[in-house]
Amino acid sequence: MRHIVRHIRYVHRAESFRCVLIGDTHLGNIHCDERTLKMLAQRIVDEPNTYWLGLGDYAEFINLRDPRFDPNELPVWMFGAAELSDIAKAEVTRFLDIMGPTREKCLALCSGNHEDSILKHSEHDVYSMIVDGLAVQGQDHRLDHRGFLSLRFGLSSDAKHGGTETIRFFLSHGSGGGATPGATANRVDRLATQVDGVDVVASGHTHRHQYQARAVWRPGFRRGLVHRDLVHCISIPALCSDMAYAERRDMATLATGWTELEITPDSRTIKVSTNLSGG
C-alpha cells in the first residue's frame, strides 16, 4: 500500500485550505456532468489554497467489445472516427484536457474499477496514462486502489522542515455494492476500522453520499490526560448518473455532486460539505 506525503506552507494561523474530492465522473458517458467537472477544475486553478483528490472511475472506459457498451450512452463528442477507434484514449485525452491545468494542485489519485477492468480485459493501462498526464516533477500522485495521504502543514518559510500539523487520509475507490444507505455507511465504516491514526477516510464507487464522524479516545502524554479525536468517514457522490447498465440492474437514481473539506491546520479542524444536484 502506498503512502504519499505532501508539504504545504501557510503564513497566517487562521488560514484554511480546501480539498475537493472528485470521483466516479465516468467521462465518456452521456450522463457525465462535464459542466460541473469543468467548473471545479477552474475553481481549483483560480482559488488559492484549493487542492483536489481523485477517487477513481475518471472515465467510462467501456469499449466496443464490452457487454456493457451502448451507443446510446455516448456523448456527442465521441462520434468521430478517431474517438470510436480508441474510446479509452479519447476519454483519457478529454479528461486530461479538463483536469491537466490542475496538476500542480492534485494531491493523490486512486484507481477505480473501470480503470482496472479495461486493463484486465483490454490491456489498456488508462490509470497510468492519467497519472502520467497529471505528473509534476518531484511529486507522486499514484495510490492505486487505496492508500494513505499525509498533508504536513507548516508555518515556517520551508514547510519541509517546519511541519506543525499533519492531517492524514486513508483513501480508496471503494468496492462492492451500496444499493442502500445502510450498505454504503457500513462499507465506509469497515474501511475506517482497518486503519489507525487517520483523520479522514474517503471512498467512492457506490455513487451515494454518506458522511459520519467517529469520535475516538486516545491517551495523552501526561497521566489522566485524554484527547478525543474525530475521524471523518465519507462516501462521495458521483459526477454521473443514470447509466443504462445501472438501470438494467434496477439501481436507484442518485443525486450527483462533489464533496469538499475545509481544513484549518492551526486548530486541526475539518469541515465537510457536499454540493448535490438532481443528476
Side-chain angles (χ1 to χ4, degrees):
M1 198 179 300
R2 293 174 179 263
H3 179 204
I4 293 173
V5 179
R6 289 279 186 270
H7 300 271
I8 299 177
R9 174 179 171 265
Y10 67 107
V11 178
H12 306 291
R13 291 192 176 277
E15 204 165 347
S16 62
F17 297 80
R18 286 194 172 273
C19 186
V20 180
L21 277 60
I22 296 175
D24 297 294
T25 53
H26 294 277
L27 190 69
N29 186 291
I30 195 172
H31 300 292
C32 171
D33 188 355
E34 279 196 49
R35 183 167 66 174
T36 296
L37 182 63
K38 291 175 180 176
M39 177 275 292
L40 291 173
Q42 195 62 53
R43 269 194 56 202
I44 293 164
V45 170
D46 293 342
E47 294 180 3
N49 293 355
T50 299
Y51 300 84
W52 72 283
L53 300 168
L55 292 181
D57 283 1
Y58 306 106
E60 190 75 319
F61 299 131
I62 293 178
N63 60 26
L64 296 173
R65 295 185 181 88
D66 194 304
R68 297 170 297 174
F69 179 77
D70 184 345
N72 295 313
E73 294 286 280
L74 297 178
V76 173
W77 58 263
M78 187 66 79
F79 286 101
E83 288 78 15
L84 289 175
S85 66
D86 194 336
I87 290 176
K89 180 181 178 181
E91 290 171 339
V92 168
T93 299
R94 194 169 182 90
F95 183 80
L96 292 177
D97 284 345
I98 296 171
M99 299 304 295
T102 71
R103 59 174 53 86
E104 297 282 349
K105 290 185 165 184
C106 179
L107 299 173
L109 296 166
C110 289
S111 174
N113 58 290
H114 279 242
E115 287 85 21
D116 296 341
S117 291
I118 196 168
L119 174 61
K120 178 179 179 180
H121 298 293
S122 301
E123 299 179 354
H124 237 71
D125 192 359
V126 292
Y127 174 60
S128 291
M129 293 168 65
I130 290 173
V131 170
D132 293 343
L134 294 172
V136 176
Q137 187 175 5
Q139 295 183 359
D140 182 14
H141 295 146
R142 188 183 191 103
L143 280 183
D144 294 322
H145 178 78
R146 64 179 183 172
F148 294 96
L149 167 68
S150 292
L151 299 183
R152 294 182 178 172
F153 296 93
L155 272 169
S156 70
S157 58
D158 183 354
K160 290 185 178 179
H161 300 96
T164 58
E165 290 294 344
T166 300
I167 304 297
R168 297 176 175 87
F169 295 73
F170 180 52
L171 304 170
S172 171
H173 172 67
S175 61
T180 64
T184 298
N186 287 338
R187 289 194 173 278
V188 178
D189 189 71
R190 281 198 288 271
L191 281 176
T193 62
Q194 295 177 24
V195 294
D196 188 24
V198 300
D199 304 284
V200 178
V201 176
S203 69
H205 184 64
T206 66
H207 294 203
R208 185 184 294 275
H209 166 64
Q210 286 279 345
Y211 169 64
Q212 53 185 314
R214 295 164 54 107
V216 294
W217 298 106
R218 63 179 174 88
F221 292 108
R222 289 179 294 170
R223 186 175 62 180
L225 184 64
V226 175
H227 300 279
R228 187 188 69 167
D229 288 341
L230 287 179
V231 181
H232 302 271
C233 304
I234 305 162
S235 174
I236 68 169
L239 279 174
C240 187
S241 66
D242 302 335
M243 293 93 88
Y245 60 84
E247 289 190 0
R248 287 193 289 268
R249 299 177 182 177
D250 289 323
M251 294 182 178
T253 185
L254 299 170
T256 58
W258 72 96
T259 299
E260 290 187 29
L261 307 181
E262 183 181 356
I263 302 171
T264 306
D266 203 64
S267 60
R268 282 194 61 83
T269 57
I270 301 172
K271 296 179 181 178
V272 180
S273 62
T274 297
N275 300 271
L276 297 174
S277 61

